[in-house]
Amino acid sequence: DAKTTQPTSMDCAEGRAANLPCNHSTISGNEYVYWYRQIHSQGPQYIIHGLKNNETNEMASLIITEDRKSSTLILPHATLRDTAVYYCIVKSYNAGNMLTFGGGTRLMVKP
Amino acid sequence: DTGVSQNPRHKITKRGQNVTFRCDPISEHNRLYWYRQTLGQGPEFLTYFQNEAQLEKSRLLSDRFSAERPKGSFSTLEIQRTEQGDSAMYLCASSLAAGNTEAFFGQGTRLTVV
């Protein structure tokens, strides 16, 4: 699976959009971009995934660049409960859920 | 609650003792995964089952570790002769067998070896 690079930490004001970037320059054609988050003392939680088109669900939006070498997870109106570590993961369709987590981005939402 | 359930939530054991953790996946999920997470790091994959078959094991899974899923439902992870380096959060996840479905994680078992 391709390697991902994320900033170690970010801050966001409550109510503002949180934009979390991820670089995955070695991604191959059959690999998807997944995002999970982990709130303190809990297991990771799935957020969203995509292949090449932008995706949106009730939690977030995922914007993938046309060359697929980077993506951005957008939390449109961050709340204090969105404070967590956010992991960007690249995996192939057939890899099941043998996920390779990196260090993630620690997002702190501040009042 | 129909999520992934792990027991116990916390375990403190003396070095050299054996410990066993249990994971109950979401009932219709036929894939079950074990991960380990040390402080400040992301989870690391250990092993996974499809139904009762253990299909993949990481190099992290030393011979002191054994996992079972005897009837394709719950799973156990046993660590024999625990060492201080085994102190970590042990996470279980489950998913459907289709290639692109997300994993649902339990809250984990935190092991402290003293």
Side-chain angles (χ1 to χ4, degrees):
Chain A
D1 292 336
K3 181 178 171 58
T4 62
T5 305
Q6 299 177 254
T8 304
S9 64
M10 293 182 64
D11 290 344
C12 177
E14 189 178 19
R16 304 298 294 269
N19 297 284
L20 293 95
C22 179
N23 285 323
H24 31 79
S25 59
T26 59
I27 193 169
S28 61
N30 68 343
E31 289 182 316
Y32 287 72
V33 180
Y34 278 71
W35 284 82
Y36 282 76
R37 74 179 182 184
Q38 189 171 24
I39 295 169
H40 183 61
S41 297
Q42 296 185 21
Q45 175 192 24
Y46 166 82
I47 301 173
I48 198 168
H49 75 276
L51 181 63
K52 54 183 178 180
N53 298 320
N54 298 339
E55 302 287 345
T56 296
N57 63 20
E58 65 279 4
M59 290 183 69
S61 294
L62 174 61
I63 309 297
I64 302 175
T65 58
E66 193 168 341
D67 63 8
R68 304 209 323 122
K69 292 185 177 182
S70 66
S71 60
T72 301
L73 178 75
I74 302 172
L75 308 178
H77 305 287
T79 71
L80 298 179
R81 288 178 295 180
D82 292 321
T83 292
V85 178
Y86 287 77
Y87 296 100
C88 170
I89 298 166
V90 170
K91 75 171 188 76
S92 65
Y93 181 88
N94 293 321
N97 280 296
M98 292 181 289
L99 304 171
T100 301
F101 290 83
T105 295
R106 185 171 298 278
L107 177 69
M108 179 74 72
V109 181
K110 298 184 173 180
Chain B
D1 182 23
T2 58
V4 177
S5 175
Q6 291 190 247
N7 287 288
R9 292 291 311 279
H10 304 274
K11 177 73 177 177
I12 300 174
T13 190
K14 291 183 178 179
R15 190 174 51 186
Q17 298 293 304
N18 300 342
V19 294
T20 300
F21 311 138
R22 176 177 170 127
C23 171
D24 287 89
I26 294 171
S27 59
E28 63 267 28
H29 286 181
N30 41 18
R31 285 190 177 173
L32 185 148
Y33 304 79
W34 285 99
Y35 286 80
R36 180 177 71 184
Q37 185 173 26
T38 53
L39 205 59
Q41 305 297 315
E44 297 170 294
F45 168 77
L46 292 178
T47 188
Y48 100 91
F49 292 82
Q50 179 153 321
N51 301 313
E52 65 274 11
Q54 189 173 16
L55 296 186
E56 191 76 28
K57 290 196 283 189
S58 160
R59 288 175 297 173
L60 295 174
L61 209 67
S62 78
D63 55 7
R64 295 186 297 105
F65 288 67
S66 62
E68 294 184 342
R69 194 182 182 197
K71 297 182 180 179
S73 57
F74 73 91
S75 175
T76 58
L77 177 68
E78 181 183 16
I79 309 174
Q80 296 183 325
R81 305 181 302 280
T82 52
E83 301 172 356
Q84 286 189 321
D86 297 330
S87 295
M89 176 77 83
Y90 291 84
L91 293 160
C92 175
S94 70
S95 72
L96 295 170
N100 225 17
T101 58
E102 68 265 32
F104 293 80
F105 283 81
Q107 292 193 297
T109 294
R110 181 166 296 284
L111 173 67
T112 303
V113 181
V114 298

